[in-house]
Amino acid sequence: MLKYSITSVRKDVIRNLILVVSGIIVISCASIGSPSGGDYDFDPPKVLSSTPQPNQTFVKSGKIQIVFDELVQIEKPMEKVIVTPPQKNFPIIRAQNNRVIVELKDTLIANTTYTVDFTDAIVDNNEKNALENFALSFSTGEIVDTLSISGKVLSAYNLEPVSGMYVGIHSDLSDTAFTKLPFKRISRTNELGRFTIKGIAPGEYKLYALDDVNRDYKYDNPAEAIAFLETIIVPTVQGAVREDTIFNKDLTVDTIRTVNYTKFLPDNVVLRSFTSDFKRQYLQKHERLTDDIISIYFGSATEMPKIEPLDVPYGISEWTVLERTAGNDTLKFWITEKAIADMDTINLKVSYNKTDSLNLLQSVTDTLKFINRTKKKTPPKDEKKKGKEPEITFLALTTNIAQTFDVYRNIDIEFDFPVKDFDKSKIRLGLKADSTYSDVNYILKQDTLNPRKYQLQHKWRFGEEYRFAVDSGAIHSYSGLWNDRLEALFKIKKLDEYGSFIFSMSNLPDSVPAFVELLDKSDKAMYQAPVKDGAASFEFINPGIYYARAIVDNNGNGKWDTGEYSEMRQPEMVYYYSKALDLKPFWEIKEYWDVLWAPLDKQKPLDITKNKPKDDEKRKKAMERRDAQNEKRESQQKSNRNNANGMNQNQNQNTGANYNQSY
């Protein structure tokens, strides 16, 4: 009996030991990591070594190798990696395990500082954490130049940050250096328009930006966007101090320490990017899509060409109505004579301006043949349709009339074909009084570019009801179509449905015209008002959220004009108001606006800035994932510990009971 009991106790002890060890193993396994792959890595790669070393002198080889503490990749090397001096042949840039290798194809220039600026192209292999603002400089001579110029490139028209634009310097201070010579040193703007040109020697420089389409690092194509600074830049350094704050885990301040550092100047240059309004002029195409329309298209705005018919006995203006764009780049001739419209082919002698290889205008004369390829054959008679009334096709007439109409708006009228003898007698405009409409006077104007468009102008009364009516058969086109009856009833908005703005302006140039635009949330101009006596006033504005932009109108033409480098003319200045304005019905908002309230790169409200800092959603989600993993792990570990402790207690109780039973 005693032998049996001792043997049973030994078995129980062994079983308990196995359970305890198993529990320890479970806890240990739980602490290794979750099945999702462990903690998210937030640290960028770290540089362990490089060949050549940073700021090494007398370098002879164009092969650069950088070793990191983990596997790395290169993202968009042709866009993000900048080698300066600029290279004629793009270097080989590749990642190999934990190394980045750059091989320069151009021969190294003697006594020159080279900088390979990776910006944020180097990322780790797993989580794509970027090594920000990493650059390696070395010299082929005894001196490594260390000065730099920093700033931002903005679109001159709307102050949007411009990404992917080259920014370069010239030590040759002549205006022709930008058009004849490649940049001496370069950088490229990041997604927020920022740039830093590094490795600059002491001296005087001119600064430019260039959207270099052909990558020759000089402005030789008027279609390329550019920016230039008239002033000469002298890069310098100065000592500076900043305060770094160290926080505790509970976000309370631990320590504040003062750090001395070297500041490279200038570091806040703003360049305003623009594209010249120069466009190459050439004949793009010509066509005859229908029997009564012939069209001529040019590549850009041009002077009105001289056109002479070759197979019609009189001038083109006598048998066509011309519809054109403001720059004459599209000409549409509506044929008004049926006999000419029935001709299979029409030949025109056209003399126009064409840009040659030197970007100079030359007069060119071509014979253009317009073949009617859409002429319909007479359809066979359908016996089934005999005795039926033919289907009537009316001359289409459209307007912009809405049931509720703005007090400042004119009525736009458009036909689908040019019309004959259209005048005020064809339209009746009535004002409602009691239950009847009394005719009112108005002004009718034909559009100067499109003969199918007209505008009806009238001084509307707030809150009143009107009727617009055209009788059937009152208007007919050259093609023989007549209009159907049209009647539209509409009501003018009340005064208390509108609001108004008054901007008191300061720091605009004296004696120079200017105007202010009200913008919607998409940065689109909705209203415009001139600046008079230091103020811009807007009346009868529909309620809503608005932003404001001021434009210095140097030539007084009421629109923003671009720059021209050949004339050393900058684009017209643009300023943004600091905030959104919420206009309510029957409100008058008065605002004081100093257009120099902030530097240009800080003026545009972030709400309407398209190229804005992007939230790192990937990093945010990763942090949430990490926190969830840690919480899950801690919960699992606590549960495992409780289970193990429970098993131990139960086994101890069972062991004691077995001992008691055996004795």
Coordinates of all heavy atoms in Angstrom, one line a residue, residues 390-460:
P390 N -44.2 65.2 -92.9 CA -42.7 65.2 -92.6 C -42.4 65.7 -91.2 O -43.1 66.6 -90.7 CB -42.2 66.1 -93.7 CG -43.3 67.0 -94.1 CD -44.5 66.2 -93.9
E391 N -41.4 65.1 -90.6 CA -41.0 65.6 -89.3 C -40.3 66.9 -89.3 O -39.5 67.2 -90.2 CB -40.0 64.5 -88.7 CG -39.6 64.8 -87.2 CD -38.7 63.7 -86.7 OE1 -38.8 62.6 -87.2 OE2 -37.9 64.0 -85.8
I392 N -40.7 67.8 -88.4 CA -40.2 69.2 -88.4 C -38.9 69.3 -87.6 O -38.9 68.9 -86.4 CB -41.3 70.2 -87.9 CG1 -42.5 70.1 -88.8 CG2 -40.7 71.6 -87.9 CD1 -43.6 71.0 -88.3
T393 N -37.9 69.9 -88.1 CA -36.7 70.2 -87.4 C -36.6 71.7 -87.1 O -36.7 72.5 -88.1 CB -35.4 69.8 -88.2 OG1 -35.5 68.4 -88.4 CG2 -34.2 70.1 -87.4
F394 N -36.6 72.1 -85.9 CA -36.6 73.5 -85.5 C -35.2 74.0 -85.3 O -34.2 73.2 -85.0 CB -37.4 73.7 -84.2 CG -38.9 73.5 -84.4 CD1 -39.5 72.4 -84.0 CD2 -39.6 74.5 -85.0 CE1 -40.9 72.2 -84.1 CE2 -41.0 74.4 -85.1 CZ -41.6 73.2 -84.7
L395 N -35.0 75.3 -85.4 CA -33.8 76.0 -85.1 C -33.7 76.0 -83.6 O -34.5 76.6 -82.9 CB -33.8 77.4 -85.6 CG -32.7 78.3 -85.2 CD1 -31.3 77.8 -85.7 CD2 -32.9 79.8 -85.7
A396 N -32.6 75.4 -83.0 CA -32.5 75.4 -81.5 C -32.1 76.7 -81.0 O -31.2 77.4 -81.5 CB -31.5 74.3 -81.2
L397 N -32.7 77.1 -79.9 CA -32.4 78.3 -79.2 C -32.2 78.0 -77.7 O -33.1 77.4 -77.1 CB -33.5 79.3 -79.4 CG -33.3 80.8 -78.8 CD1 -34.3 81.7 -79.6 CD2 -33.6 80.8 -77.3
T398 N -31.1 78.3 -77.1 CA -30.9 78.0 -75.6 C -30.5 79.3 -74.9 O -30.0 80.3 -75.5 CB -29.7 77.0 -75.4 OG1 -28.5 77.6 -76.0 CG2 -30.1 75.7 -76.1
T399 N -30.9 79.4 -73.6 CA -30.6 80.5 -72.8 C -30.0 80.1 -71.4 O -30.1 78.9 -71.1 CB -31.8 81.4 -72.5 OG1 -32.7 80.7 -71.6 CG2 -32.5 81.7 -73.8
N400 N -29.5 81.0 -70.7 CA -29.1 80.7 -69.3 C -30.1 81.0 -68.2 O -29.7 81.1 -67.1 CB -27.8 81.4 -69.0 CG -27.9 82.9 -69.0 OD1 -28.9 83.5 -69.7 ND2 -27.1 83.6 -68.3
I401 N -31.3 81.2 -68.6 CA -32.4 81.7 -67.7 C -32.6 80.5 -66.7 O -32.9 79.4 -67.1 CB -33.6 82.1 -68.4 CG1 -33.4 83.3 -69.3 CG2 -34.8 82.4 -67.4 CD1 -34.6 83.7 -70.2
A402 N -32.6 80.9 -65.4 CA -33.0 79.9 -64.4 C -34.3 80.5 -63.7 O -34.6 81.7 -63.8 CB -31.9 79.7 -63.4
Q403 N -35.0 79.6 -63.0 CA -36.2 80.0 -62.3 C -36.0 81.2 -61.3 O -36.8 82.1 -61.2 CB -36.8 78.8 -61.6 CG -38.3 79.1 -61.2 CD -38.9 77.8 -60.7 OE1 -38.3 76.8 -60.5 NE2 -40.3 77.8 -60.6
T404 N -34.8 81.1 -60.6 CA -34.4 82.2 -59.8 C -33.1 82.8 -60.4 O -32.1 82.1 -60.7 CB -34.0 81.7 -58.4 OG1 -35.2 81.1 -57.8 CG2 -33.6 82.9 -57.5
F405 N -33.1 84.1 -60.7 CA -32.1 84.7 -61.5 C -31.4 85.8 -60.7 O -32.0 86.6 -60.0 CB -32.7 85.4 -62.8 CG -31.8 85.4 -64.0 CD1 -31.3 84.3 -64.5 CD2 -31.5 86.7 -64.5 CE1 -30.4 84.4 -65.6 CE2 -30.7 86.8 -65.6 CZ -30.1 85.6 -66.2
D406 N -30.1 85.9 -60.9 CA -29.3 86.9 -60.2 C -29.5 88.3 -60.8 O -29.6 88.5 -62.0 CB -27.8 86.5 -60.2 CG -27.5 85.5 -59.2 OD1 -27.8 85.6 -58.0 OD2 -26.9 84.4 -59.6
V407 N -29.5 89.3 -59.9 CA -29.7 90.7 -60.3 C -28.6 91.2 -61.2 O -28.9 92.1 -62.0 CB -29.9 91.6 -59.1 CG1 -28.6 91.8 -58.4 CG2 -30.6 92.9 -59.5
Y408 N -27.4 90.7 -61.1 CA -26.3 91.2 -61.9 C -26.1 90.5 -63.2 O -25.2 90.8 -64.0 CB -25.0 91.2 -61.1 CG -24.7 89.8 -60.6 CD1 -24.1 88.8 -61.4 CD2 -25.0 89.5 -59.2 CE1 -23.9 87.6 -60.9 CE2 -24.8 88.2 -58.7 CZ -24.2 87.3 -59.6 OH -23.9 86.0 -59.1
R409 N -26.9 89.4 -63.5 CA -26.6 88.6 -64.6 C -27.4 89.1 -65.9 O -28.5 89.6 -65.8 CB -27.1 87.1 -64.3 CG -26.5 86.1 -65.2 CD -26.8 84.7 -64.7 NE -26.2 84.4 -63.5 CZ -24.9 84.1 -63.3 NH1 -24.1 84.0 -64.3 NH2 -24.5 83.8 -62.1
N410 N -26.8 88.9 -67.0 CA -27.5 89.1 -68.3 C -28.0 87.8 -68.9 O -27.5 86.7 -68.5 CB -26.5 89.8 -69.3 CG -26.0 91.1 -68.8 OD1 -26.8 92.0 -68.4 ND2 -24.7 91.4 -68.9
I411 N -29.0 87.9 -69.8 CA -29.5 86.7 -70.4 C -28.7 86.4 -71.6 O -28.5 87.2 -72.5 CB -31.0 86.9 -70.8 CG1 -31.8 87.1 -69.6 CG2 -31.5 85.7 -71.6 CD1 -33.3 87.4 -69.9
D412 N -28.1 85.2 -71.6 CA -27.3 84.8 -72.8 C -28.2 83.9 -73.7 O -28.9 83.0 -73.3 CB -26.1 83.9 -72.3 CG -25.1 84.7 -71.5 OD1 -25.0 85.9 -71.8 OD2 -24.5 84.2 -70.6
I413 N -28.1 84.2 -75.0 CA -28.9 83.6 -76.0 C -28.0 82.9 -77.0 O -27.1 83.6 -77.5 CB -29.9 84.5 -76.7 CG1 -30.8 85.2 -75.7 CG2 -30.7 83.8 -77.7 CD1 -31.5 86.5 -76.2
E414 N -28.2 81.7 -77.4 CA -27.3 81.0 -78.4 C -28.2 80.1 -79.3 O -29.0 79.4 -78.8 CB -26.2 80.2 -77.7 CG -25.3 79.6 -78.7 CD -24.1 78.9 -78.0 OE1 -24.0 78.9 -76.7 OE2 -23.3 78.3 -78.7
F415 N -27.9 80.3 -80.6 CA -28.5 79.4 -81.6 C -27.5 78.4 -82.1 O -26.3 78.6 -81.9 CB -28.9 80.3 -82.8 CG -29.9 81.4 -82.5 CD1 -29.5 82.7 -82.2 CD2 -31.3 81.1 -82.4 CE1 -30.4 83.7 -81.9 CE2 -32.2 82.1 -82.1 CZ -31.8 83.4 -81.8
D416 N -28.0 77.3 -82.6 CA -27.1 76.3 -83.1 C -26.6 76.5 -84.6 O -25.7 75.9 -85.1 CB -27.7 74.9 -83.0 CG -29.0 74.7 -83.7 OD1 -29.5 75.7 -84.2 OD2 -29.5 73.6 -83.8
F417 N -27.2 77.6 -85.2 CA -26.7 78.0 -86.5 C -26.8 79.5 -86.6 O -27.6 80.1 -85.9 CB -27.6 77.4 -87.7 CG -27.6 76.0 -87.8 CD1 -28.5 75.1 -87.3 CD2 -26.5 75.4 -88.6 CE1 -28.5 73.8 -87.4 CE2 -26.5 74.0 -88.7 CZ -27.4 73.2 -88.2
P418 N -26.0 80.2 -87.4 CA -26.1 81.6 -87.6 C -27.5 82.0 -88.1 O -28.1 81.2 -88.9 CB -25.0 82.0 -88.6 CG -24.0 80.9 -88.5 CD -24.8 79.6 -88.1
V419 N -28.0 83.1 -87.7 CA -29.4 83.4 -88.0 C -29.4 84.8 -88.8 O -28.5 85.6 -88.8 CB -30.3 83.6 -86.8 CG1 -30.4 82.3 -86.1 CG2 -29.8 84.7 -85.8
K420 N -30.5 84.9 -89.6 CA -30.8 86.2 -90.3 C -31.7 87.1 -89.6 O -32.6 86.7 -88.9 CB -31.4 85.8 -91.7 CG -30.6 84.9 -92.6 CD -31.5 84.7 -93.9 CE -30.7 83.8 -94.9 NZ -31.6 83.6 -96.1
D421 N -31.4 88.4 -89.8 CA -32.3 89.5 -89.4 C -32.8 89.3 -87.9 O -34.0 89.5 -87.6 CB -33.6 89.5 -90.3 CG -33.2 89.6 -91.8 OD1 -32.2 90.3 -92.0 OD2 -33.8 89.0 -92.6
F422 N -31.9 89.0 -87.0 CA -32.3 88.9 -85.6 C -32.1 90.2 -84.9 O -31.0 90.8 -84.9 CB -31.5 87.8 -84.9 CG -31.8 87.6 -83.5 CD1 -33.1 87.3 -83.1 CD2 -30.9 87.8 -82.5 CE1 -33.5 87.1 -81.8 CE2 -31.2 87.6 -81.1 CZ -32.5 87.2 -80.8
D423 N -33.2 90.8 -84.4 CA -33.1 92.0 -83.7 C -34.1 92.0 -82.5 O -34.7 91.0 -82.2 CB -33.4 93.2 -84.6 CG -34.8 93.0 -85.3 OD1 -35.7 92.6 -84.7 OD2 -34.9 93.4 -86.5
K424 N -34.2 93.2 -81.8 CA -35.0 93.3 -80.6 C -36.5 93.0 -80.8 O -37.2 92.6 -79.9 CB -34.9 94.7 -80.0 CG -33.5 95.0 -79.4 CD -33.4 96.4 -78.9 CE -34.5 96.7 -77.8 NZ -34.3 98.1 -77.3
S425 N -37.0 93.2 -82.1 CA -38.4 93.0 -82.3 C -38.8 91.5 -82.2 O -40.0 91.2 -82.1 CB -38.7 93.5 -83.7 OG -38.0 92.7 -84.7
K426 N -37.8 90.6 -82.2 CA -38.1 89.1 -82.2 C -38.3 88.6 -80.8 O -38.8 87.5 -80.5 CB -36.9 88.4 -82.8 CG -36.4 88.9 -84.1 CD -37.5 88.7 -85.2 CE -36.9 89.2 -86.6 NZ -37.8 89.0 -87.7
I427 N -37.9 89.4 -79.8 CA -38.0 89.0 -78.4 C -38.9 89.9 -77.6 O -38.9 91.2 -77.8 CB -36.6 89.0 -77.7 CG1 -35.7 88.0 -78.4 CG2 -36.7 88.7 -76.2 CD1 -34.3 88.0 -77.9
R428 N -39.7 89.4 -76.7 CA -40.6 90.2 -75.8 C -40.2 89.9 -74.3 O -40.1 88.7 -73.9 CB -42.0 89.8 -76.0 CG -42.6 90.4 -77.3 CD -44.1 90.1 -77.5 NE -44.3 88.7 -77.8 CZ -44.9 87.8 -77.0 NH1 -45.3 88.2 -75.8 NH2 -45.1 86.6 -77.3
L429 N -39.8 90.9 -73.7 CA -39.4 90.8 -72.2 C -40.4 91.6 -71.4 O -40.6 92.8 -71.7 CB -38.0 91.4 -72.0 CG -37.5 91.4 -70.6 CD1 -37.3 89.9 -70.2 CD2 -36.2 92.2 -70.4
G430 N -41.1 90.9 -70.5 CA -42.2 91.5 -69.7 C -41.9 91.5 -68.3 O -41.4 90.5 -67.7
L431 N -42.4 92.5 -67.5 CA -42.3 92.7 -66.1 C -43.7 92.4 -65.5 O -44.7 93.0 -66.0 CB -41.8 94.0 -65.7 CG -41.9 94.4 -64.2 CD1 -41.0 93.5 -63.4 CD2 -41.5 95.9 -64.0
K432 N -43.8 91.5 -64.6 CA -45.1 91.2 -64.0 C -45.7 92.2 -63.1 O -45.0 92.7 -62.2 CB -45.1 89.8 -63.3 CG -46.4 89.3 -62.9 CD -46.3 87.9 -62.3 CE -47.7 87.3 -61.9 NZ -47.6 86.0 -61.3
A433 N -46.9 92.7 -63.4 CA -47.6 93.6 -62.5 C -49.0 93.1 -62.3 O -49.7 92.9 -63.2 CB -47.6 95.0 -63.1
D434 N -49.3 92.8 -61.0 CA -50.5 92.1 -60.7 C -50.5 90.7 -61.4 O -49.6 89.9 -61.1 CB -51.8 92.8 -61.2 CG -51.9 94.2 -60.4 OD1 -51.5 94.2 -59.2 OD2 -52.4 95.1 -60.9
S435 N -51.3 90.4 -62.4 CA -51.3 89.1 -63.0 C -50.9 89.2 -64.5 O -51.0 88.2 -65.2 CB -52.6 88.4 -62.9 OG -53.7 89.3 -63.5
T436 N -50.5 90.4 -64.9 CA -50.1 90.6 -66.4 C -48.7 91.0 -66.5 O -48.1 91.5 -65.5 CB -51.0 91.6 -67.0 OG1 -50.9 92.9 -66.4 CG2 -52.5 91.2 -66.9
Y437 N -48.1 90.9 -67.7 CA -46.7 91.2 -68.0 C -46.7 92.4 -68.9 O -47.3 92.4 -70.0 CB -46.0 90.1 -68.6 CG -45.7 88.9 -67.6 CD1 -46.6 87.9 -67.5 CD2 -44.5 88.9 -66.9 CE1 -46.4 86.9 -66.6 CE2 -44.3 87.9 -66.0 CZ -45.2 86.8 -65.9 OH -45.0 85.8 -65.0
S438 N -46.0 93.5 -68.5 CA -45.9 94.7 -69.3 C -44.5 94.7 -70.0 O -43.5 94.4 -69.3 CB -46.1 95.9 -68.5 OG -47.3 95.9 -67.8
D439 N -44.4 95.0 -71.2 CA -43.2 95.0 -72.0 C -42.2 96.0 -71.4 O -42.6 97.1 -71.0 CB -43.4 95.3 -73.4 CG -44.1 94.1 -74.2 OD1 -44.0 93.0 -73.6 OD2 -44.6 94.3 -75.3
V440 N -40.9 95.6 -71.3 CA -39.9 96.6 -70.8 C -38.8 96.6 -71.8 O -38.6 95.7 -72.6 CB -39.3 96.1 -69.4 CG1 -40.4 96.1 -68.3 CG2 -38.7 94.7 -69.5
N441 N -38.1 97.7 -71.8 CA -37.0 97.9 -72.8 C -35.8 97.2 -72.3 O -35.6 96.9 -71.1 CB -36.7 99.4 -72.9 CG -35.9 99.7 -74.2 OD1 -35.8 98.9 -75.1 ND2 -35.3 100.9 -74.2
Y442 N -34.9 96.9 -73.3 CA -33.6 96.2 -73.0 C -32.7 96.4 -74.1 O -33.0 97.0 -75.1 CB -33.9 94.7 -72.8 CG -34.5 94.0 -74.1 CD1 -33.6 93.5 -75.1 CD2 -35.9 93.9 -74.2 CE1 -34.2 93.0 -76.2 CE2 -36.4 93.3 -75.3 CZ -35.6 92.8 -76.3 OH -36.1 92.3 -77.5
I443 N -31.4 96.0 -73.9 CA -30.4 96.2 -74.9 C -30.0 94.8 -75.4 O -29.8 93.8 -74.6 CB -29.1 96.8 -74.3 CG1 -29.5 98.3 -73.8 CG2 -28.0 96.9 -75.3 CD1 -28.3 98.9 -73.1
L444 N -29.9 94.6 -76.7 CA -29.5 93.3 -77.3 C -28.2 93.5 -78.0 O -28.1 94.4 -78.9 CB -30.6 92.8 -78.3 CG -30.3 91.4 -78.9 CD1 -30.4 90.4 -77.8 CD2 -31.4 91.2 -80.0
K445 N -27.2 92.7 -77.7 CA -25.9 92.8 -78.3 C -25.4 91.4 -78.8 O -25.6 90.4 -78.2 CB -24.8 93.3 -77.3 CG -25.0 94.7 -76.8 CD -23.8 95.1 -75.9 CE -23.9 96.6 -75.6 NZ -22.7 97.0 -74.7
Q446 N -24.8 91.5 -80.0 CA -24.3 90.2 -80.6 C -22.9 90.1 -80.2 O -22.1 91.0 -80.1 CB -24.4 90.3 -82.1 CG -23.9 89.0 -82.8 CD -24.1 89.1 -84.4 OE1 -24.1 90.1 -84.9 NE2 -24.3 87.9 -85.0
D447 N -22.5 88.8 -79.9 CA -21.1 88.5 -79.5 C -20.1 88.9 -80.6 O -20.4 88.6 -81.8 CB -21.0 87.0 -79.1 CG -19.7 86.7 -78.4 OD1 -18.7 86.4 -79.2 OD2 -19.6 86.7 -77.2
T448 N -19.0 89.4 -80.2 CA -18.0 89.9 -81.3 C -17.2 88.7 -81.9 O -16.6 88.9 -82.9 CB -17.0 90.9 -80.6 OG1 -16.4 90.2 -79.5 CG2 -17.7 92.1 -80.2
L449 N -17.2 87.5 -81.2 CA -16.5 86.4 -81.8 C -17.4 85.3 -82.3 O -17.0 84.7 -83.3 CB -15.6 85.8 -80.6 CG -14.5 86.7 -80.0 CD1 -13.8 86.0 -78.9 CD2 -13.5 87.2 -81.1
N450 N -18.5 85.1 -81.6 CA -19.4 84.0 -82.0 C -20.7 84.6 -82.5 O -21.5 85.1 -81.7 CB -19.7 83.1 -80.9 CG -20.5 81.8 -81.3 OD1 -21.1 81.8 -82.3 ND2 -20.5 80.8 -80.4
P451 N -21.0 84.6 -83.8 CA -22.2 85.3 -84.4 C -23.5 84.5 -84.0 O -24.6 85.1 -84.2 CB -22.0 85.2 -85.9 CG -21.1 84.0 -86.1 CD -20.2 84.0 -84.9
R452 N -23.4 83.4 -83.4 CA -24.6 82.6 -82.9 C -25.0 83.0 -81.5 O -26.0 82.6 -81.0 CB -24.3 81.1 -83.0 CG -24.0 80.6 -84.3 CD -23.7 79.1 -84.3 NE -22.4 78.8 -83.6 CZ -22.4 78.2 -82.4 NH1 -23.6 77.8 -81.9 NH2 -21.3 77.9 -81.8
K453 N -24.2 83.9 -80.9 CA -24.5 84.2 -79.5 C -24.9 85.7 -79.4 O -24.4 86.6 -80.1 CB -23.2 84.0 -78.6 CG -22.9 82.6 -78.3 CD -21.7 82.5 -77.4 CE -21.4 81.0 -77.0 NZ -20.3 80.9 -76.0
Y454 N -25.9 85.9 -78.5 CA -26.4 87.3 -78.2 C -26.5 87.5 -76.7 O -26.6 86.5 -76.0 CB -27.7 87.5 -78.9 CG -27.7 87.5 -80.4 CD1 -27.7 86.3 -81.1 CD2 -27.6 88.7 -81.1 CE1 -27.6 86.3 -82.5 CE2 -27.5 88.7 -82.5 CZ -27.5 87.5 -83.2 OH -27.5 87.5 -84.6
Q455 N -26.6 88.7 -76.3 CA -26.7 89.0 -74.8 C -27.8 90.1 -74.7 O -27.8 91.1 -75.3 CB -25.4 89.5 -74.2 CG -25.4 89.6 -72.7 CD -24.0 89.9 -72.2 OE1 -23.7 91.1 -72.1 NE2 -23.3 88.9 -71.8
L456 N -28.7 89.7 -73.8 CA -29.8 90.7 -73.5 C -29.5 91.3 -72.1 O -29.3 90.6 -71.1 CB -31.2 89.9 -73.4 CG -32.4 90.8 -73.2 CD1 -33.6 90.0 -73.8 CD2 -32.7 91.1 -71.7
Q457 N -29.4 92.6 -72.1 CA -29.0 93.4 -70.9 C -30.2 94.2 -70.4 O -30.9 94.9 -71.2 CB -27.8 94.3 -71.2 CG -26.6 93.5 -71.6 CD -25.5 94.5 -72.1 OE1 -25.6 95.7 -72.1 NE2 -24.3 93.9 -72.4
H458 N -30.5 94.2 -69.1 CA -31.5 94.9 -68.5 C -31.2 95.2 -67.1 O -30.6 94.3 -66.4 CB -32.9 94.2 -68.7 CG -34.0 94.9 -68.0 ND1 -34.6 96.0 -68.6 CD2 -34.8 94.7 -66.9 CE1 -35.6 96.5 -67.8 NE2 -35.7 95.6 -66.8
K459 N -31.6 96.3 -66.5 CA -31.5 96.6 -65.1 C -32.6 96.0 -64.3 O -33.7 96.6 -64.3 CB -31.4 98.1 -64.9 CG -31.0 98.5 -63.5 CD -30.7 100.0 -63.4 CE -30.2 100.3 -62.0 NZ -30.0 101.8 -61.8
W460 N -32.4 94.8 -63.8 CA -33.4 94.1 -63.1 C -33.8 94.7 -61.8 O -33.0 95.3 -61.1 CB -33.0 92.6 -62.8 CG -32.4 91.9 -64.0 CD1 -31.1 91.5 -64.2 CD2 -33.1 91.5 -65.2 NE1 -31.0 90.9 -65.4 CE2 -32.2 90.9 -66.1 CE3 -34.5 91.6 -65.6 CZ2 -32.5 90.3 -67.3 CZ3 -34.8 91.0 -66.8 CH2 -33.9 90.4 -67.7

